[in-house]
Amino acid sequence: MTFLYKSETVRGAIWQHMFAEQLPDLPFCIWPDTGDKDAVRYIGAWTLPDDLHQYTNVKVLFSVAAGVDQLDITRIPEHVQLVRMLEPGLTAGMVEYVTMAVLALHRGMPAYLHSQRARVWQPGRSRRPGSSRVGVMGLGVLGCAVLSALAPFGFPLRGWGRTQRDVPGVECFAGMDALPDFVAGCDVLICLVPLTPQTQGILNADLFAALPAGAAIINVGRGGHLVGADLIAALDGHLSAAVLDVFDAEPLPPEDPLWSHPRIWLTPHIASTSQPEGGAEAVIANIHRDRRGEKLVGLVERHRGY
Ligand code: NDP
Ligand code: OXD
């Protein structure tokens, strides 16, 4: 019985070391050195091996990421359990990034950066501290952590999910029908839903039209959420700025107009990632649960896609 790791190599070396210490009876292979494919019991991966069907004894597939859309669930046999990454360092990283982006948007930093490059001294309208209304799409692990980090700034907070949630200090909305009402009260809108058929292209012209004048968006979900051409049209209209971390094609092709739009700040999918040690701890703890016959933590519900 072996563990097959298929992702970034530096993290792989750390996982291998920790597995050797904490699960010495479980040989650890780093892809493409798969060893005997029939012996692979667990796979930890960002994307699936093309020949997944050849690993006939896989029981659990661990995503090295919080999101699982990049794994193409339709190719994973029904009997294989799919587990997403739940790791405190990943949550902390997302909280840092989104807090940074919300504060930057609240204080008008994209416009000041633009002015600096043009050597223009142009103080903008100053906003009352804590006055921007901030909304989070996705009231899951990351969305709720972000909301609680933003609360001390005094921003009026709202959140939107698939099912109705009760988050203290946050006005909560649920379901597609409530989406326009939810976004109508967001000066800063953060996308932190998983990418599923229901959320594909959700950041589109209709949603932008429902945002208040001067609103800004932060997309840290997945590139597939955003319709880029609609965003550019909205930024040339009533939206003020966008902070984008994720893109349909990654790396973002050099010719993509998102690169050069003066109201867009973009980063190369670095908002957050699981820390190597914390990620290994989470997977090792789940393997121990599996061996004890217990339910795994972070199981993906296939019918929901997350
Ligand atoms: P969770 O599964 O914990 O939470 C997902 C939330 O989204 C839930 O509140 C869920 O609703 C809601 N949701 C799902 N589908 C819909 C829908 N159709 N309509 C409305 N709400 C919906 O996920 P996480 O918080 O851990 O992660 C969210 C995403 O963040 C990941 O899937 C990934 O894409 C992205 N991510 C990006 C990173 C980056 O570096 N840019 C890093 C890490 C994650 P309900 O509460 O009703 O279930
Ligand atoms: C994740 C990511 O989903 O890295 O964890 O994007």
Side-chain angles (χ1 to χ4, degrees), residues 11 46 63-70 85 90 94 142 220-222 245-246 269 272-274:
R11 175 166 44 191
W46 167 254
S63 171
V64 297
V68 295
D69 53 286
Q70 66 282 355
M85 180 56 71
L90 189 154
M94 184 59 80
L142 300 179
V220 277
R222 285 287 184 260
D245 181 58
V246 282
H269 199 148
S272 189
T273 188
S274 60

Side-chain angles (χ1 to χ4, degrees), residues 134 147-148 151 155-159 166-172:
V134 180
L147 282 160
S148 64
F155 300 122
L157 300 175
R158 45 176 56 197
D166 182 16
V167 183
V170 178
E171 189 180 356
C172 293

Side-chain angles (χ1 to χ4, degrees), residues 84 94 139-142 160-163 165 194 220 245 272 306:
R84 69 201 194 88
M94 184 59 80
L139 289 171
V141 173
L142 300 179
W160 176 79
R162 194 176 55 86
T163 54
R165 304 264 162 195
V220 277
D245 181 58
S272 189
Y306 68 97

Side-chain angles (χ1 to χ4, degrees), residues 30-105:
I30 299 187
W31 195 87
D33 180 10
T34 62
D36 174 8
K37 291 183 182 171
D38 285 333
V40 175
R41 183 73 159 171
Y42 306 104
I43 297 179
W46 167 254
T47 53
L48 297 177
D50 289 339
D51 56 356
L52 183 66
H53 60 280
Q54 292 184 20
Y55 300 80
T56 49
N57 290 312
V58 175
K59 187 175 178 203
V60 188
L61 215 150
F62 293 100
S63 171
V64 297
V68 295
D69 53 286
Q70 66 282 355
L71 284 166
D72 186 359
I73 297 183
T74 58
R75 285 186 52 222
I76 304 172
E78 282 295 329
H79 65 273
V80 176
Q81 299 181 78
L82 176 58
V83 176
R84 69 201 194 88
M85 180 56 71
L86 290 173
E87 193 273 310
L90 189 154
T91 306
M94 184 59 80
V95 164
E96 280 185 2
Y97 184 98
V98 175
T99 305
M100 178 270 306
V102 169
L103 293 177
L105 292 169

Side-chain angles (χ1 to χ4, degrees), residues 216-235:
I217 71 152
I218 299 170
N219 188 18
V220 277
R222 285 287 184 260
H225 289 130
L226 177 71
V227 182
D230 289 3
L231 175 65
I232 288 178
L235 286 171

